[in-house]
Amino acid sequence: MLARQGRLNEALESYYRSLSYDSQNADTLLAVAETHQQLGRPNRTLATLGGLDNPSDGGTPPQRMWVLKGLAQEQLQRYDEALESLTRACQQQTPSASLLGQLAQVQWQLGQQTAAEQTLRDAFVVASPEEQTALRQLMTRIAQSSESPRVLSVR
């Protein structure tokens, strides 16, 4: 509730109180990671998600975890890792247009223009009219780039 009201720091405090009772609660850890992502803290996002990619119950990590991980990695310009995370998210369940748009953005950052264009075509199939506007803008940027963007690798 607090996060939806834009009271992100208060939401974090509440999530951390909850984690003091159950430090392995996946839903709460995802909420903490998402809040850190919204606050522009990609390193904190990744640290929070650290234990979720190998669940102790042997289950599969949720798609949301891979998306958050990929977005944080992209923010840190760790494009190879972001590509892997976003690809995993797409493999888990039918990807949204937004997720496909993020994947295309990372592919483009890595100089994979053809793959980015194909991913954008796939995104248009499932996109709402509002999402199509953002996808068109990305498609225009990709089409206008005559050479691969310079990729800075941060490790």
Side-chain angles (χ1 to χ4, degrees), residues 39-116:
L39 288 168
R41 301 174 180 162
N43 287 315
R44 300 284 299 246
T45 300
L46 292 174
T48 302
L49 295 172
L52 289 176
D53 51 2
N54 292 312
S56 58
D57 64 3
T60 304
Q63 183 185 48
R64 187 168 146 215
M65 190 234 27
W66 292 115
V67 171
L68 288 169
K69 199 170 194 176
L71 294 176
Q73 290 162 331
E74 180 185 12
Q75 241 182 323
L76 294 168
Q77 297 179 346
R78 292 163 46 182
Y79 300 117
D80 289 326
E81 294 171 42
L83 178 64
E84 181 180 335
S85 295
L86 294 173
T87 299
R88 284 182 141 182
C90 289
Q91 292 169 343
Q92 280 200 315
Q93 52 188 180
T94 305
S96 65
S98 173
L99 174 53
L100 290 169
Q102 277 309 132
L103 179 59
Q105 174 73 26
V106 169
Q107 289 168 326
W108 178 71
Q109 289 291 342
L110 287 168
Q112 300 175 3
Q113 187 163 342
T114 303

Side-chain angles (χ1 to χ4, degrees), residues 8-21:
L8 300 177
N9 288 318
E10 291 174 66
L12 269 179
E13 289 174 22
S14 177
Y15 296 143
Y16 282 124
R17 273 193 304 279
S18 176
L19 288 172
S20 71
Y21 297 104

